Amino acid sequence: MLGNYSSVTEFLLLGFPGSQELRHFLFAIFFFFYSVTVLGNTVIIITVCVNKRLQSPMYFFLGQLSILETLNTSTAVPFMLWGLLLSRTQMISLTACGAQLYLYLSLGTSELTLLGVMAVDRYVAVCNPLRYDIIMNSCTCLWMVIVSWVFGFLSEIWPIYATFHVTFCKSNLIDHFYCDRGQLLKLSCDNTRLTEFIFFLLAVFKIFGSLITTILSYAYIISTILRIPAASGRRKAFSTCASHFTFVVIVYGTCLFLYVKPKQTQAAEYNRVASLLVLVVTPFLNPFIFTFRNDKFIQAFRDCIKRCYQFLKE
C-alpha cells in the first residue's frame, strides 16, 4: 500500500528547532503532559470498568473516549519525546511513517464519531428520560462504539494510500515531529492539488458530519432544559452535559484549526502548534474536564482506592 515510484525508503523528522537546552526543557513539559494524560485516562478506564455505580451508557462512552485519547496521543508523542532527547534528526522508515499517520488519523476520526454518539446519548437522557434505558440499552451502546471504531479505521484507508502513492523526490526531510500529511505532500514532485482538495472535502465531511449531530442534539437539549420550570432542575439537567459540551468545543476547535483548510501544505510552524493542541493539550485536559466536577465519578474513584487499600492491607 505504501509503495511509490521514488527511491525514498525513509524520512528524517526535523522535530523542534532550537538549542539542546530548549529541547530538554520542551521534553520535560511534554513528558509531564503525556504522563498525566496516560495516568488520568487510565484511571478513568479502570474506574469505569470496576465500579458498578458507573455501569451506564454515559460512563461506558467516557471509557471508550479515554481509550481513544490515550492511543491517539501515543501514536506520536513518545516518538516526539525521544526525538527531543536526541541531538540529531530522527529517522523513520516509509512503512512506519505510513502506519503512524494511519493510526493517528483513524483514531482521530473514531473519536469525532464517538463524540457525536455521546451527544445523542445526552439528548436521549435529557429529552427522553423515561425511555432512556430502553433506547440506550447495552446492545445499542455496543454497536454505536463498534461503528465509531470501524468507521474511523475504514475511512482512512484510501487517504493513506493516496498520500503515499506519490513520488517523493524533492527531499526526505519532514519539518515536523511526526509524519504529518501536509509536510509529506510538500516532498512530492507530483501535482497534488486535486488530492489536497479531496482531503479537504473528506475533512469537512468527517468533522461537520459529527458536528451537525452534536449541534442538533444540543439544540434539542437546550430547548428542553429551558422548559424546565425549576432552576435546580435546569442546573441538574445541564450539569449532565456540561463536560461533554466543553470537550466538544475544544476538540472541534482544534480540528477545524488543523484540518479544514483547502491547502494541506501549511507552514511547518502552524502545523506544529496545531498538532500540539490535538496530540498533547486536548488529551491532557480530557481527564480533568470529565471528572473534576463529577461527584459520582469522584465517589466511585474513592471507593476503588479504599478497595485497593483494604486488599493490600490484608
Side-chain angles (χ1 to χ4, degrees):
M1 186 178 74
L2 301 181
N4 54 59
Y5 306 105
S6 69
S7 60
V8 173
T9 59
E10 59 189 17
F11 296 101
L12 295 177
L13 300 176
L14 298 181
F16 293 87
S19 64
Q20 194 65 18
E21 290 76 14
L22 175 61
R23 291 161 67 91
H24 287 167
F25 176 71
L26 291 176
F27 170 85
I29 294 176
F30 295 147
F31 180 77
F32 169 76
F33 272 65
Y34 180 67
S35 300
V36 173
T37 298
V38 173
L39 179 62
N41 283 293
T42 302
V43 166
I44 291 176
I45 295 166
I46 294 175
T47 305
V48 168
C49 289
V50 303
N51 197 284
K52 293 182 179 180
R53 293 185 180 183
L54 305 182
Q55 301 305 307
S56 66
M58 182 177 75
Y59 293 103
F60 173 65
F61 293 138
L62 176 58
Q64 294 295 317
L65 179 64
S66 295
I67 293 173
L68 285 169
E69 285 283 88
T70 304
L71 293 177
N72 198 18
T73 190
S74 297
T75 59
V77 174
F79 197 73
M80 174 190 73
L81 292 173
W82 177 243
L84 288 171
L85 291 177
L86 300 176
S87 57
R88 53 182 174 81
T89 55
Q90 280 180 289
M91 186 178 297
I92 185 171
S93 68
L94 182 69
T95 302
C97 183
Q100 183 189 60
L101 184 59
Y102 175 67
L103 289 174
Y104 167 63
L105 294 176
S106 299
L107 291 167
T109 302
S110 297
E111 182 177 331
L112 291 176
T113 308
L114 184 62
L115 286 175
V117 168
M118 294 174 74
V120 173
D121 171 66
R122 292 298 83 206
Y123 158 74
V124 178
V126 174
C127 301
N128 295 281
L130 299 179
R131 300 180 59 200
Y132 180 73
D133 292 334
I134 299 174
I135 298 174
M136 300 302 296
N137 57 66
S138 57
C139 184
T140 300
C141 294
L142 181 61
W143 273 108
M144 283 181 165
V145 168
I146 291 174
V147 169
S148 298
W149 281 82
V150 172
F151 173 74
F153 279 81
L154 290 182
S155 65
E156 293 299 336
I157 292 177
W158 181 84
I160 292 298
Y161 174 82
T163 300
F164 287 89
H165 200 68
V166 297
T167 306
F168 298 113
C169 58
K170 291 182 179 180
S171 172
N172 68 336
L173 296 177
I174 299 178
D175 194 4
H176 214 297
F177 59 81
Y178 79 103
C179 286
D180 175 68
R181 182 163 60 193
Q183 299 304 308
L184 281 168
L185 293 177
K186 277 186 174 183
L187 306 180
S188 173
C189 293
D190 302 334
N191 187 346
T192 61
R193 290 183 180 179
L194 177 61
T195 303
E196 290 184 47
F197 182 68
I198 294 175
F199 288 161
F200 167 72
L201 294 180
L202 289 174
V204 169
F205 169 75
K206 293 170 187 176
I207 294 175
F208 282 96
S210 58
L211 182 58
I212 289 172
T213 302
T214 303
I215 292 173
L216 290 176
S217 297
Y218 272 101
Y220 283 107
I221 288 171
I222 293 172
S223 176
T224 302
I225 290 176
L226 292 177
R227 290 200 300 266
I228 298 175
S232 59
R234 290 195 295 269
R235 284 195 297 269
K236 184 178 179 181
F238 185 74
S239 66
T240 63
C241 310
S243 298
H244 176 260
F245 182 78
T246 303
F247 192 72
V248 161
V249 172
I250 295 174
V251 169
Y252 283 104
T254 53
C255 287
L256 291 171
F257 185 63
L258 180 58
Y259 294 114
V260 182
K261 52 185 186 292
K263 190 171 181 60
Q264 295 286 316
T265 54
Q266 289 282 351
E269 294 77 12
Y270 176 97
N271 278 342
R272 258 193 294 267
V273 172
S275 297
L276 285 174
L277 291 175
V278 173
L279 283 166
V280 178
V281 178
T282 303
F284 172 78
L285 294 174
N286 176 49
F288 299 101
I289 292 173
F290 282 99
T291 64
F292 187 66
R293 297 185 64 184
N294 191 321
D295 295 333
K296 188 175 181 180
F297 182 89
I298 292 173
Q299 186 58 49
F301 177 66
R302 288 174 179 170
D303 292 343
C304 290
I305 296 297
K306 289 178 181 178
R307 289 180 186 177
C308 293
Y309 176 75
Q310 292 173 357
F311 177 78
L312 294 174
K313 193 176 180 180
E314 294 175 359

